[in-house]
Amino acid sequence: MLCACSGEQFKFEDAPQSPESLATRDFSASGLSSRTGDWESKLDDVQVDEAESTLKEALSLNYEEARALLGRLEYQRGNFDAALQVFQGIDIKGLKPRMTGAIVERTRQRKLRSKGDIIPPSVLSLHSVSLLLEAILLKAKSLDELGHFRDAAKECNIILDVVEAAFPNGMHEGIAEDCKLQEMFHKALELLPRLWKKAGFLGEAITAYRRVLVKPWNLDPLRVASLQKDLAANLLYGGVESSLPPHLQVWGSANPNGNMEEAILLLLVLMQKVVYGEIKWDSDIMDHLIFALTVTGQFELLGSYVEQALPGIYERANSWYLLALCYAAAGQNEVALNLLKKVSGQSEAKHKPHIPALLFGAKLSSQDPKHAHYGITFARNVIDSAADDQVNEHFKSQAHKFLGVCYGNAARISISDAERSVFQKESLASLNCAAFNMKEDPDLIFNLSLENAVQRNLDVAFDNAMVYSNMVTEDSGRGWRLLALILSADRRFKDAETILEVALDEAGSLDQLELLRLRAVLQIAQERPKQAIETYRILLSLIKTQRESRSNNFESAKSSDSEGVTERVLELAAWQDLATVYTKFGSWLDAEICVNKAKSIELHSPKSWHTSGLLFEAQSLHKEALVSFSIALSIEPDYVPSIVSTAAVLLQLGSQSSLPIARSFLMNALRLDPTNHDAWMNLGLIAKLEGSLQQAADFFQAAYELKMSAPVEAFK
């Protein structure tokens, strides 16, 4: 018999095309027409032997099996309409129970029956079942070729229903020894989800994938891995949320909650197979995993899987770059920078520079002044590498932007006036060079405005800040804040408040809190303490309300940790500012309450101890003030306000021997912050006490000019 179990098997996937249709011939219930000779004579010479064998075997076939064979031949010839007509004559619905029963009986009897047991002749053989399953599969394929995808999927589903009813717990080993039943079933398992996708029913396709993977069907590991990858991809990108039905929830306590979690579980299983060598490395799996873990914010986990990639899969520089991206996204900038330093190290000197990694190193370095010099090196390497390359012109402009920011940061931490001056010039030069090619980059315009403001080029800074605010329609809180600070440095407090009023109507909830605090600081600068206190009250109430709202909403609390940190910082600053206000106007008890509130939020804040020292100083408790300032400096040795205040207290103590110590403190403060007008003022007092009147006058003049151009808060 030429059936699914025969030695010669047809390859119907790549069938030759023929216009001749066997289905148009007369076909009787006995299986053959009287015009067999005419039909056979028209076959191609290559198929004569095959057709003869088929016809001889067909003499012993029943009606359905004969149709299955002829339908197969039609499909092989590419006559999909004719094949479909032949297959339509098979009563699949009536045969389903017999096919299921035959599979159960034949596979059960093999193990359980005694030698004397006889299988009833009415039970189909596994060969017949295989032949009929192949007919159903070819019918589905014919419908697929004709564009009837939904009908094809329904036909293909019949195969799964028949076999799954026979093997409710999965297919045991050994089925493939006697017939093609398992092969037909496996092909149907793989075809069904593809048909549902073609038909546009993604939910049904996902269910079909799950149906394949939830039970053992004797699929080889590579086919299982392929199906797992396809399911993960459909769960990630399909756009249809398909919940896992109860009978398919086989993950136990780790049952996934939604498409994303299920996809990640599948991809992690696949990555484990890669690590153990069960399947080969597949870049698609890693790409899917990168997308999934990035969307869910699992960057450290992603980094661990990037590290598991075998040597040679990624180039060393690219591997370090990917890892740096993961750790930077997880907030571990120091780890990311250490990885990126390897890219510019000696080991890579002979290789082509990895420009994205170098540029990313420059970007990370620009975010922290202590890494400013590393950032300069990174940016310079990018500029040198892209000097004669028009393709990398964009990278070159970006490098100039980060170079300008790093030069500005380097100037602010420089201990040499000459070096500081050089860095400031280089900063503006680099930023202006970048702006020549990237006029539409809002981040660049903001940094250009900020650097001009720091260098007290207030008119240019204001113009750039206005351009930035017009460019950015959302998340423009920092632009409004910079504008207000620039106006305050120009002593235009009313205009600054007007800007903030407009900004408060447009800003998001988090930006509103920062802008409210800045408005209170402006009110303090104009000596309007009552209004400032009321603004702080509103600010603290909003922080409390938002915190309570998040605590009552678990999902919101889980996704907004950064917001909580920002709110905590603003709350701390509000209590510190209030303590300063009450101290200035002699409300010692209120000031002490506010200081204690601040310390309860963050005990190791240098500003809280500095504020406490100011309270003691205002009460003429100089020794206690010195203790508080000393604690602030023990927490942060370069905290300029406490350095200046320590010198001021030493001056108030009136000891001539303390003048050199006070001068040393003030010179250190000016090394850290040359624009600190309080330090210049106290230096003038020391010079006056020492009798150097001209020097004192110069110091007082510097203090006055700096104070007149000082913003109410530092530019940042």
Side-chain angles (χ1 to χ4, degrees), residues 434-447:
F436 183 77
N437 296 315
M438 299 194 309
K439 296 178 181 178
E440 303 302 319
D441 185 342
D443 191 53
L444 170 61
I445 301 302
F446 177 85
N447 283 303

Side-chain angles (χ1 to χ4, degrees), residues 479-507:
W480 293 117
R481 183 180 183 278
L482 181 58
L483 264 176
L485 288 175
I486 292 169
L487 289 170
S488 72
D490 207 20
R491 320 311 289 174
R492 295 164 60 183
F493 296 118
K494 292 293 184 183
D495 292 340
E497 278 200 87
T498 302
I499 288 287
L500 290 180
E501 291 297 332
V502 174
L504 283 167
D505 293 334
E506 299 182 5

Side-chain angles (χ1 to χ4, degrees), residues 179-407:
C179 69
K180 283 175 59 181
L181 184 150
Q182 179 174 274
E183 180 186 345
M184 293 299 107
F185 179 61
H186 285 174
K187 288 180 178 179
L189 285 175
E190 294 176 307
L191 179 62
L192 182 58
R194 294 202 295 269
L195 291 173
W196 280 125
K197 282 194 291 185
K198 285 184 177 181
F201 294 91
L202 190 60
E204 283 78 359
I206 291 172
T207 300
Y209 278 120
R210 289 167 172 165
R211 190 175 177 182
V212 176
L213 299 172
V214 77
K215 294 176 184 177
W217 296 120
N218 289 349
L219 284 165
D220 66 78
L222 293 180
R223 295 170 87 171
V224 172
S226 177
L227 289 166
Q228 287 174 326
K229 186 180 77 171
D230 289 346
L231 175 55
N234 281 279
L235 290 168
L236 286 175
Y237 315 119
V240 176
E241 186 65 35
S242 179
S243 59
L244 203 62
H247 66 284
L248 296 181
Q249 294 179 2
V250 295
W251 299 91
S253 59
N255 192 56
N257 182 22
N259 284 13
M260 185 64 71
E261 288 188 15
E262 185 178 353
I264 290 173
L265 280 171
L266 287 166
L267 293 169
L268 293 181
V269 168
L270 288 170
M271 285 300 297
Q272 189 177 45
K273 290 181 179 181
V274 170
V275 172
Y276 291 151
E278 296 177 20
I279 60 175
K280 292 182 179 180
W281 171 265
D282 187 342
S283 59
D284 288 343
I285 297 173
M286 193 64 199
D287 291 342
H288 296 329
L289 190 62
I290 288 173
F291 172 79
L293 294 180
T294 300
V295 169
T296 56
Q298 301 294 320
F299 300 108
E300 289 184 72
L301 179 60
L302 176 57
S304 69
Y305 278 96
V306 173
E307 287 183 292
Q308 290 178 19
L310 296 174
I313 290 174
Y314 297 116
E315 294 181 358
R316 284 194 304 178
N318 197 40
S319 177
W320 290 329
Y321 174 57
L322 290 175
L323 280 172
L325 288 172
C326 294
Y327 286 115
Q332 300 183 34
N333 286 0
E334 295 290 332
V335 177
L337 265 177
N338 288 334
L339 288 165
L340 293 170
K341 288 173 188 175
K342 296 175 180 289
V343 179
S344 57
Q346 289 298 320
S347 64
E348 299 298 305
K350 296 181 181 179
H351 295 81
K352 184 179 179 180
H354 194 283
I355 290 180
L358 295 171
L359 193 63
F360 188 47
K363 179 179 180 179
L364 291 180
S365 299
S366 70
Q367 296 172 4
D368 191 336
K370 70 181 180 182
H371 296 305
H373 292 284
Y374 285 120
I376 292 171
T377 302
F378 279 124
R380 282 292 180 197
N381 286 340
V382 175
I383 293 168
D384 293 341
S385 301
D388 301 320
D389 190 351
Q390 294 297 324
V391 176
N392 292 323
E393 190 65 32
H394 172 71
F395 290 147
K396 185 177 176 181
S397 298
Q398 288 287 338
H400 273 294
K401 177 177 74 173
F402 297 131
L403 181 62
V405 176
C406 289
Y407 269 131

